[in-house]
mmCIF file of all heavy atoms in Angstrom:
data_model
loop_
_atom_site.group_PDB
_atom_site.id
_atom_site.type_symbol
_atom_site.label_atom_id
_atom_site.label_comp_id
_atom_site.label_asym_id
_atom_site.label_seq_id
_atom_site.Cartn_x
_atom_site.Cartn_y
_atom_site.Cartn_z
ATOM 1 N N GLU S 24 0.762 -1.246 0.037
ATOM 2 C CA GLU S 24 -0.008 0.045 0.036
ATOM 3 C C GLU S 24 0.877 1.271 0.015
ATOM 4 O O GLU S 24 0.412 2.276 -0.432
ATOM 5 C CB GLU S 24 -0.845 0.053 1.212
ATOM 6 C CG GLU S 24 -1.901 1.141 1.249
ATOM 7 C CD GLU S 24 -2.772 1.161 2.525
ATOM 8 O OE1 GLU S 24 -2.326 0.759 3.628
ATOM 9 O OE2 GLU S 24 -3.799 1.663 2.491
ATOM 10 N N LEU S 25 2.149 1.188 0.587
ATOM 11 C CA LEU S 25 2.970 2.399 0.572
ATOM 12 C C LEU S 25 3.144 2.979 -0.779
ATOM 13 O O LEU S 25 3.176 4.245 -0.942
ATOM 14 C CB LEU S 25 4.345 1.969 1.132
ATOM 15 C CG LEU S 25 4.463 1.308 2.458
ATOM 16 C CD1 LEU S 25 5.914 0.920 2.724
ATOM 17 C CD2 LEU S 25 3.818 2.033 3.610
ATOM 18 N N PHE S 26 3.109 2.180 -1.852
ATOM 19 C CA PHE S 26 3.461 2.680 -3.158
ATOM 20 C C PHE S 26 2.244 2.553 -4.124
ATOM 21 O O PHE S 26 2.445 2.656 -5.313
ATOM 22 C CB PHE S 26 4.706 1.951 -3.772
ATOM 23 C CG PHE S 26 5.833 2.033 -2.809
ATOM 24 C CD1 PHE S 26 6.174 1.050 -1.934
ATOM 25 C CD2 PHE S 26 6.560 3.235 -2.776
ATOM 26 C CE1 PHE S 26 7.256 1.134 -1.149
ATOM 27 C CE2 PHE S 26 7.628 3.322 -1.861
ATOM 28 C CZ PHE S 26 7.933 2.294 -1.031
ATOM 29 N N MET S 27 1.040 2.460 -3.604
ATOM 30 C CA MET S 27 -0.167 2.419 -4.356
ATOM 31 C C MET S 27 -0.861 3.800 -4.176
ATOM 32 O O MET S 27 -1.498 3.923 -3.212
ATOM 33 C CB MET S 27 -1.005 1.282 -4.032
ATOM 34 C CG MET S 27 -0.542 -0.119 -4.327
ATOM 35 S SD MET S 27 -1.623 -1.335 -3.743
ATOM 36 C CE MET S 27 -0.661 -2.772 -3.943
ATOM 37 N N PRO S 28 -0.626 4.744 -4.954
ATOM 38 C CA PRO S 28 -1.078 6.119 -4.715
ATOM 39 C C PRO S 28 -2.598 6.272 -4.659
ATOM 40 O O PRO S 28 -3.167 5.664 -5.579
ATOM 41 C CB PRO S 28 -0.425 6.947 -5.750
ATOM 42 C CG PRO S 28 -0.153 6.030 -6.951
ATOM 43 C CD PRO S 28 0.152 4.776 -6.174
ATOM 44 N N ALA S 29 -3.148 6.981 -3.790
ATOM 45 C CA ALA S 29 -4.551 7.275 -3.696
ATOM 46 C C ALA S 29 -4.729 8.484 -4.733
ATOM 47 O O ALA S 29 -3.770 9.119 -5.119
ATOM 48 C CB ALA S 29 -4.980 7.751 -2.350
ATOM 49 N N GLU S 30 -5.940 8.771 -5.094
ATOM 50 C CA GLU S 30 -6.262 9.792 -6.150
ATOM 51 C C GLU S 30 -5.662 11.103 -5.595
ATOM 52 O O GLU S 30 -5.189 11.886 -6.390
ATOM 53 C CB GLU S 30 -7.768 9.920 -6.337
ATOM 54 C CG GLU S 30 -8.142 10.931 -7.349
ATOM 55 C CD GLU S 30 -9.749 10.978 -7.571
ATOM 56 O OE1 GLU S 30 -10.396 10.320 -6.849
ATOM 57 O OE2 GLU S 30 -10.074 11.708 -8.401
ATOM 58 N N TYR S 31 -5.853 11.407 -4.313
ATOM 59 C CA TYR S 31 -5.357 12.685 -3.880
ATOM 60 C C TYR S 31 -3.768 12.851 -3.847
ATOM 61 O O TYR S 31 -3.241 13.924 -4.017
ATOM 62 C CB TYR S 31 -5.940 12.958 -2.442
ATOM 63 C CG TYR S 31 -5.574 11.957 -1.353
ATOM 64 C CD1 TYR S 31 -4.319 11.877 -0.855
ATOM 65 C CD2 TYR S 31 -6.587 11.009 -0.982
ATOM 66 C CE1 TYR S 31 -4.136 10.907 0.246
ATOM 67 C CE2 TYR S 31 -6.383 10.046 -0.120
ATOM 68 C CZ TYR S 31 -5.057 9.939 0.591
ATOM 69 O OH TYR S 31 -4.968 8.942 1.438
ATOM 70 N N GLU S 32 -3.129 11.738 -3.788
ATOM 71 C CA GLU S 32 -1.763 11.781 -3.900
ATOM 72 C C GLU S 32 -1.218 12.033 -5.415
ATOM 73 O O GLU S 32 -0.224 12.721 -5.597
ATOM 74 C CB GLU S 32 -1.117 10.417 -3.413
ATOM 75 C CG GLU S 32 -1.166 10.260 -1.992
ATOM 76 C CD GLU S 32 -0.564 8.806 -1.605
ATOM 77 O OE1 GLU S 32 -1.249 7.787 -1.921
ATOM 78 O OE2 GLU S 32 0.475 8.693 -0.860
ATOM 79 N N ASN S 33 -2.070 11.444 -6.242
ATOM 80 C CA ASN S 33 -1.603 11.785 -7.664
ATOM 81 C C ASN S 33 -1.974 13.233 -8.194
ATOM 82 O O ASN S 33 -1.275 13.761 -9.060
ATOM 83 C CB ASN S 33 -2.471 10.843 -8.659
ATOM 84 C CG ASN S 33 -1.885 9.450 -8.706
ATOM 85 O OD1 ASN S 33 -0.627 9.345 -8.489
ATOM 86 N ND2 ASN S 33 -2.762 8.500 -8.822
ATOM 87 N N LYS S 34 -3.009 13.807 -7.476
ATOM 88 C CA LYS S 34 -3.504 15.025 -8.015
ATOM 89 C C LYS S 34 -3.124 16.321 -7.114
ATOM 90 O O LYS S 34 -3.465 17.411 -7.452
ATOM 91 C CB LYS S 34 -5.013 15.078 -8.119
ATOM 92 C CG LYS S 34 -5.529 14.084 -9.176
ATOM 93 C CD LYS S 34 -6.979 14.142 -9.264
ATOM 94 C CE LYS S 34 -7.539 13.221 -10.402
ATOM 95 N NZ LYS S 34 -8.939 13.154 -10.562
ATOM 96 N N ALA S 35 -2.447 16.113 -6.041
ATOM 97 C CA ALA S 35 -2.049 17.204 -5.122
ATOM 98 C C ALA S 35 -1.091 18.123 -5.728
ATOM 99 O O ALA S 35 -1.021 19.346 -5.406
ATOM 100 C CB ALA S 35 -1.608 16.631 -3.753
ATOM 101 N N SER S 36 -0.205 17.650 -6.626
ATOM 102 C CA SER S 36 0.775 18.354 -7.301
ATOM 103 C C SER S 36 1.612 19.244 -6.330
ATOM 104 O O SER S 36 1.730 20.525 -6.499
ATOM 105 C CB SER S 36 0.030 19.382 -8.336
ATOM 106 O OG SER S 36 -0.722 18.615 -9.192
ATOM 107 N N ILE S 37 2.274 18.667 -5.422
ATOM 108 C CA ILE S 37 3.128 19.384 -4.522
ATOM 109 C C ILE S 37 4.556 18.751 -4.472
ATOM 110 O O ILE S 37 5.269 18.963 -3.422
ATOM 111 C CB ILE S 37 2.619 19.425 -3.045
ATOM 112 C CG1 ILE S 37 2.186 17.977 -2.650
ATOM 113 C CG2 ILE S 37 1.351 20.312 -3.095
ATOM 114 C CD1 ILE S 37 1.756 17.905 -1.213
ATOM 115 N N GLY S 38 5.030 18.164 -5.450
ATOM 116 C CA GLY S 38 6.304 17.611 -5.563
ATOM 117 C C GLY S 38 6.426 16.181 -4.762
ATOM 118 O O GLY S 38 7.404 16.020 -4.045
ATOM 119 N N PHE S 39 5.495 15.466 -4.812
ATOM 120 C CA PHE S 39 5.360 14.118 -4.182
ATOM 121 C C PHE S 39 5.048 13.057 -5.056
ATOM 122 O O PHE S 39 3.935 12.821 -5.647
ATOM 123 C CB PHE S 39 4.220 14.377 -3.108
ATOM 124 C CG PHE S 39 4.098 13.203 -2.221
ATOM 125 C CD1 PHE S 39 4.699 13.159 -0.864
ATOM 126 C CD2 PHE S 39 3.243 12.125 -2.459
ATOM 127 C CE1 PHE S 39 4.599 12.135 -0.090
ATOM 128 C CE2 PHE S 39 3.036 11.090 -1.647
ATOM 129 C CZ PHE S 39 3.733 11.095 -0.378
ATOM 130 N N GLU S 40 6.047 12.138 -5.477
ATOM 131 C CA GLU S 40 5.863 11.299 -6.500
ATOM 132 C C GLU S 40 6.335 9.865 -5.885
ATOM 133 O O GLU S 40 7.427 9.578 -5.684
ATOM 134 C CB GLU S 40 6.791 11.599 -7.610
ATOM 135 C CG GLU S 40 6.764 10.497 -8.739
ATOM 136 C CD GLU S 40 5.368 10.267 -9.263
ATOM 137 O OE1 GLU S 40 4.642 11.076 -9.742
ATOM 138 O OE2 GLU S 40 5.034 9.058 -9.167
ATOM 139 N N LEU S 41 5.289 8.988 -5.748
ATOM 140 C CA LEU S 41 5.518 7.695 -4.992
ATOM 141 C C LEU S 41 6.259 6.734 -6.014
ATOM 142 O O LEU S 41 7.057 5.980 -5.492
ATOM 143 C CB LEU S 41 4.201 7.000 -4.661
ATOM 144 C CG LEU S 41 3.660 7.574 -3.315
ATOM 145 C CD1 LEU S 41 2.324 6.842 -2.981
ATOM 146 C CD2 LEU S 41 4.588 7.339 -2.108
ATOM 147 N N ASN S 42 5.860 6.731 -7.295
ATOM 148 C CA ASN S 42 6.409 5.793 -8.233
ATOM 149 C C ASN S 42 7.857 5.712 -8.226
ATOM 150 O O ASN S 42 8.591 4.768 -8.480
ATOM 151 C CB ASN S 42 5.828 6.005 -9.521
ATOM 152 C CG ASN S 42 4.248 5.708 -9.606
ATOM 153 O OD1 ASN S 42 3.799 4.839 -8.913
ATOM 154 N ND2 ASN S 42 3.633 6.356 -10.616
ATOM 155 N N SER S 43 8.503 7.082 -8.111
ATOM 156 C CA SER S 43 9.899 7.047 -8.231
ATOM 157 C C SER S 43 10.669 6.517 -6.947
ATOM 158 O O SER S 43 11.940 6.392 -6.904
ATOM 159 C CB SER S 43 10.369 8.536 -8.476
ATOM 160 O OG SER S 43 9.880 9.332 -7.354
ATOM 161 N N LEU S 44 9.835 6.334 -5.916
ATOM 162 C CA LEU S 44 10.509 5.819 -4.489
ATOM 163 C C LEU S 44 10.457 4.421 -4.268
ATOM 164 O O LEU S 44 11.392 3.998 -3.513
ATOM 165 C CB LEU S 44 9.659 6.560 -3.448
ATOM 166 C CG LEU S 44 9.569 8.145 -3.328
ATOM 167 C CD1 LEU S 44 8.704 8.520 -2.187
ATOM 168 C CD2 LEU S 44 10.949 8.742 -3.319
ATOM 169 N N LYS S 45 9.672 3.641 -4.968
ATOM 170 C CA LYS S 45 9.598 2.271 -4.680
ATOM 171 C C LYS S 45 10.909 1.563 -4.864
ATOM 172 O O LYS S 45 11.298 0.715 -4.016
ATOM 173 C CB LYS S 45 8.449 1.643 -5.575
ATOM 174 C CG LYS S 45 8.268 0.149 -5.205
ATOM 175 C CD LYS S 45 7.163 -0.393 -6.077
ATOM 176 C CE LYS S 45 6.823 -1.893 -5.652
ATOM 177 N NZ LYS S 45 5.677 -2.466 -6.451
ATOM 178 N N GLN S 46 11.569 1.706 -5.983
ATOM 179 C CA GLN S 46 12.930 1.230 -6.163
ATOM 180 C C GLN S 46 13.997 1.521 -5.180
ATOM 181 O O GLN S 46 14.694 0.706 -4.715
ATOM 182 C CB GLN S 46 13.392 1.458 -7.613
ATOM 183 C CG GLN S 46 14.716 0.779 -8.065
ATOM 184 C CD GLN S 46 14.516 -0.775 -7.999
ATOM 185 O OE1 GLN S 46 13.459 -1.209 -8.343
ATOM 186 N NE2 GLN S 46 15.517 -1.478 -7.744
ATOM 187 N N GLN S 47 13.880 2.805 -4.808
ATOM 188 C CA GLN S 47 14.920 3.388 -3.812
ATOM 189 C C GLN S 47 14.631 2.601 -2.420
ATOM 190 O O GLN S 47 15.663 2.096 -1.828
ATOM 191 C CB GLN S 47 14.865 4.787 -3.654
ATOM 192 C CG GLN S 47 15.150 5.560 -4.879
ATOM 193 C CD GLN S 47 14.982 7.126 -4.632
ATOM 194 O OE1 GLN S 47 15.609 7.603 -3.628
ATOM 195 N NE2 GLN S 47 14.269 7.817 -5.353
ATOM 196 N N TRP S 48 13.382 2.579 -2.059
ATOM 197 C CA TRP S 48 12.984 1.932 -0.880
ATOM 198 C C TRP S 48 13.467 0.430 -0.878
ATOM 199 O O TRP S 48 13.937 -0.101 0.108
ATOM 200 C CB TRP S 48 11.596 2.004 -0.615
ATOM 201 C CG TRP S 48 10.909 1.494 0.627
ATOM 202 C CD1 TRP S 48 11.018 2.178 1.832
ATOM 203 C CD2 TRP S 48 10.215 0.253 0.863
ATOM 204 N NE1 TRP S 48 10.365 1.228 2.789
ATOM 205 C CE2 TRP S 48 9.973 0.134 2.187
ATOM 206 C CE3 TRP S 48 9.971 -0.771 -0.034
ATOM 207 C CZ2 TRP S 48 9.342 -1.003 2.743
ATOM 208 C CZ3 TRP S 48 9.371 -1.858 0.495
ATOM 209 C CH2 TRP S 48 9.030 -1.987 1.899
ATOM 210 N N SER S 49 13.037 -0.256 -1.917
ATOM 211 C CA SER S 49 13.453 -1.665 -2.040
ATOM 212 C C SER S 49 14.914 -1.937 -1.940
ATOM 213 O O SER S 49 15.391 -2.864 -1.287
ATOM 214 C CB SER S 49 12.865 -2.237 -3.410
ATOM 215 O OG SER S 49 13.054 -3.627 -3.447
ATOM 216 N N GLU S 50 15.732 -1.096 -2.475
ATOM 217 C CA GLU S 50 17.103 -1.253 -2.429
ATOM 218 C C GLU S 50 17.704 -1.109 -0.990
ATOM 219 O O GLU S 50 18.527 -1.822 -0.585
ATOM 220 C CB GLU S 50 17.826 -0.250 -3.424
ATOM 221 C CG GLU S 50 17.551 -0.548 -4.918
ATOM 222 C CD GLU S 50 18.158 0.521 -5.778
ATOM 223 O OE1 GLU S 50 18.708 1.510 -5.275
ATOM 224 O OE2 GLU S 50 18.097 0.372 -6.973
ATOM 225 N N LYS S 51 17.160 -0.122 -0.417
ATOM 226 C CA LYS S 51 17.556 0.193 1.094
ATOM 227 C C LYS S 51 17.119 -0.957 1.985
ATOM 228 O O LYS S 51 18.009 -1.429 2.844
ATOM 229 C CB LYS S 51 16.941 1.537 1.639
ATOM 230 C CG LYS S 51 17.306 2.682 0.887
ATOM 231 C CD LYS S 51 18.792 3.167 1.223
ATOM 232 C CE LYS S 51 19.208 4.447 0.597
ATOM 233 N NZ LYS S 51 20.549 4.809 0.952
ATOM 234 N N ILE S 52 15.927 -1.584 1.805
ATOM 235 C CA ILE S 52 15.333 -2.597 2.638
ATOM 236 C C ILE S 52 16.235 -3.765 2.291
ATOM 237 O O ILE S 52 16.625 -4.520 3.241
ATOM 238 C CB ILE S 52 13.868 -2.837 2.256
ATOM 239 C CG1 ILE S 52 13.065 -1.607 2.657
ATOM 240 C CG2 ILE S 52 13.434 -4.161 2.912
ATOM 241 C CD1 ILE S 52 12.987 -1.304 4.179
ATOM 242 N N THR S 53 16.518 -4.085 1.083
ATOM 243 C CA THR S 53 17.300 -5.289 0.743
ATOM 244 C C THR S 53 18.631 -5.266 1.325
ATOM 245 O O THR S 53 19.198 -6.309 1.818
ATOM 246 C CB THR S 53 17.509 -5.349 -0.907
ATOM 247 O OG1 THR S 53 16.166 -5.496 -1.444
ATOM 248 C CG2 THR S 53 18.315 -6.561 -1.213
ATOM 249 N N GLU S 54 19.259 -4.076 1.312
ATOM 250 C CA GLU S 54 20.641 -3.919 1.951
ATOM 251 C C GLU S 54 20.602 -4.318 3.430
ATOM 252 O O GLU S 54 21.471 -5.064 3.951
ATOM 253 C CB GLU S 54 21.066 -2.525 1.790
ATOM 254 C CG GLU S 54 22.460 -2.251 2.386
ATOM 255 C CD GLU S 54 22.953 -0.809 2.230
ATOM 256 O OE1 GLU S 54 22.388 -0.199 1.339
ATOM 257 O OE2 GLU S 54 23.892 -0.371 2.910
ATOM 258 N N ILE S 55 19.578 -3.814 4.222
ATOM 259 C CA ILE S 55 19.513 -4.193 5.577
ATOM 260 C C ILE S 55 19.115 -5.601 5.824
ATOM 261 O O ILE S 55 19.713 -6.337 6.742
ATOM 262 C CB ILE S 55 18.542 -3.181 6.368
ATOM 263 C CG1 ILE S 55 19.059 -1.780 6.216
ATOM 264 C CG2 ILE S 55 18.339 -3.625 7.760
ATOM 265 C CD1 ILE S 55 20.379 -1.467 6.883
ATOM 266 N N PHE S 56 18.191 -6.150 5.016
ATOM 267 C CA PHE S 56 17.766 -7.492 5.236
ATOM 268 C C PHE S 56 18.857 -8.502 4.959
ATOM 269 O O PHE S 56 19.007 -9.509 5.534
ATOM 270 C CB PHE S 56 16.515 -7.767 4.254
ATOM 271 C CG PHE S 56 15.213 -7.249 4.754
ATOM 272 C CD1 PHE S 56 15.212 -6.464 5.913
ATOM 273 C CD2 PHE S 56 14.022 -7.639 4.124
ATOM 274 C CE1 PHE S 56 13.918 -5.901 6.353
ATOM 275 C CE2 PHE S 56 12.866 -7.108 4.669
ATOM 276 C CZ PHE S 56 12.823 -6.289 5.773
ATOM 277 N N GLU S 57 19.783 -8.166 3.996
ATOM 278 C CA GLU S 57 20.836 -9.000 3.631
ATOM 279 C C GLU S 57 21.822 -9.163 4.956
ATOM 280 O O GLU S 57 22.244 -10.328 5.229
ATOM 281 C CB GLU S 57 21.614 -8.565 2.422
ATOM 282 C CG GLU S 57 20.896 -8.859 1.207
ATOM 283 C CD GLU S 57 21.749 -8.405 -0.087
ATOM 284 O OE1 GLU S 57 22.758 -7.623 0.157
ATOM 285 O OE2 GLU S 57 21.358 -8.622 -1.281
ATOM 286 N N ILE S 58 22.118 -8.062 5.508
ATOM 287 C CA ILE S 58 22.977 -8.082 6.711
ATOM 288 C C ILE S 58 22.303 -8.823 7.763
ATOM 289 O O ILE S 58 22.874 -9.498 8.641
ATOM 290 C CB ILE S 58 23.348 -6.684 7.181
ATOM 291 C CG1 ILE S 58 24.035 -5.863 6.028
ATOM 292 C CG2 ILE S 58 24.166 -6.685 8.428
ATOM 293 C CD1 ILE S 58 24.217 -4.399 6.259
ATOM 294 N N ALA S 59 20.928 -8.677 7.901
ATOM 295 C CA ALA S 59 20.221 -9.240 9.025
ATOM 296 C C ALA S 59 19.746 -10.760 8.743
ATOM 297 O O ALA S 59 19.118 -11.381 9.586
ATOM 298 C CB ALA S 59 18.917 -8.486 9.207
ATOM 299 N N ALA S 60 20.252 -11.303 7.583
ATOM 300 C CA ALA S 60 19.909 -12.642 7.201
ATOM 301 C C ALA S 60 18.475 -12.866 7.081
ATOM 302 O O ALA S 60 18.041 -13.905 7.399
ATOM 303 C CB ALA S 60 20.596 -13.568 8.151
ATOM 304 N N LEU S 61 17.670 -11.882 6.583
ATOM 305 C CA LEU S 61 16.235 -12.024 6.344
ATOM 306 C C LEU S 61 15.975 -12.162 4.888
ATOM 307 O O LEU S 61 16.827 -11.661 4.048
ATOM 308 C CB LEU S 61 15.525 -10.828 6.986
ATOM 309 C CG LEU S 61 15.618 -10.662 8.526
ATOM 310 C CD1 LEU S 61 14.989 -9.245 8.792
ATOM 311 C CD2 LEU S 61 14.887 -11.738 9.229
ATOM 312 N N PRO S 62 14.852 -12.718 4.562
ATOM 313 C CA PRO S 62 14.417 -12.876 3.115
ATOM 314 C C PRO S 62 14.528 -11.535 2.465
ATOM 315 O O PRO S 62 14.075 -10.411 2.941
ATOM 316 C CB PRO S 62 13.042 -13.408 3.165
ATOM 317 C CG PRO S 62 12.966 -14.108 4.454
ATOM 318 C CD PRO S 62 13.711 -13.244 5.417
ATOM 319 N N SER S 63 14.855 -11.481 1.103
ATOM 320 C CA SER S 63 14.891 -10.259 0.296
ATOM 321 C C SER S 63 13.464 -9.954 -0.042
ATOM 322 O O SER S 63 12.657 -10.760 -0.250
ATOM 323 C CB SER S 63 15.842 -10.335 -0.824
ATOM 324 O OG SER S 63 15.244 -11.259 -1.742
ATOM 325 N N PRO S 64 13.242 -8.541 -0.334
ATOM 326 C CA PRO S 64 12.022 -8.167 -0.841
ATOM 327 C C PRO S 64 11.674 -8.905 -2.122
ATOM 328 O O PRO S 64 10.437 -9.212 -2.521
ATOM 329 C CB PRO S 64 12.127 -6.741 -1.098
ATOM 330 C CG PRO S 64 13.063 -6.321 -0.009
ATOM 331 C CD PRO S 64 14.131 -7.401 0.021
ATOM 332 N N LYS S 65 12.590 -9.184 -3.012
ATOM 333 C CA LYS S 65 12.392 -9.772 -4.353
ATOM 334 C C LYS S 65 11.768 -11.075 -4.049
ATOM 335 O O LYS S 65 10.826 -11.657 -4.881
ATOM 336 C CB LYS S 65 13.714 -9.838 -5.171
ATOM 337 C CG LYS S 65 13.496 -10.377 -6.496
ATOM 338 C CD LYS S 65 14.794 -10.181 -7.280
ATOM 339 C CE LYS S 65 14.517 -10.494 -8.798
ATOM 340 N NZ LYS S 65 15.809 -10.297 -9.592
ATOM 341 N N SER S 66 12.035 -11.913 -3.036
ATOM 342 C CA SER S 66 11.694 -13.183 -2.811
ATOM 343 C C SER S 66 10.200 -13.237 -2.288
ATOM 344 O O SER S 66 9.509 -14.219 -2.275
ATOM 345 C CB SER S 66 12.470 -13.889 -1.857
ATOM 346 O OG SER S 66 12.314 -13.430 -0.409
ATOM 347 N N MET S 67 9.719 -12.019 -1.923
ATOM 348 C CA MET S 67 8.356 -11.934 -1.350
ATOM 349 C C MET S 67 7.367 -11.152 -2.423
ATOM 350 O O MET S 67 6.370 -10.632 -1.972
ATOM 351 C CB MET S 67 8.388 -11.175 -0.089
ATOM 352 C CG MET S 67 9.140 -12.007 0.957
ATOM 353 S SD MET S 67 9.218 -11.241 2.632
ATOM 354 C CE MET S 67 10.320 -9.835 2.333
ATOM 355 N N GLU S 68 7.783 -11.021 -3.723
ATOM 356 C CA GLU S 68 7.066 -10.315 -4.565
ATOM 357 C C GLU S 68 5.649 -10.824 -4.908
ATOM 358 O O GLU S 68 4.796 -10.083 -5.216
ATOM 359 C CB GLU S 68 7.820 -10.236 -5.888
ATOM 360 C CG GLU S 68 9.017 -9.365 -5.930
ATOM 361 C CD GLU S 68 9.792 -9.254 -7.282
ATOM 362 O OE1 GLU S 68 9.481 -10.103 -8.025
ATOM 363 O OE2 GLU S 68 10.626 -8.354 -7.395
#
């Protein structure tokens, strides 16, 4: 749900773009999960 924009998120026009954040977030999470020996986000797609 974090990256599924509601209508108001798409139309507010205030410099807030969720689609561009998903890959960045996934990369950060993957990095920490690898150190913590936890499953990667990719394995839970």
Side-chain angles (χ1 to χ4, degrees):
E24 184 183 31
L25 304 181
F26 304 101
M27 297 178 186
E30 183 177 5
Y31 53 80
E32 290 178 290
N33 282 329
K34 295 184 177 180
S36 301
I37 54 175
F39 184 90
E40 178 53 59
L41 280 180
N42 293 333
S43 65
L44 300 182
K45 185 173 183 179
Q46 183 62 32
Q47 296 178 58
W48 181 83
S49 182
E50 290 173 358
K51 296 288 186 182
I52 296 294
T53 298
E54 181 182 340
I55 296 300
F56 281 11
E57 285 180 354
I58 302 173
L61 293 173
S63 69
K65 192 171 184 179
S66 70
M67 298 180 284
E68 286 180 346

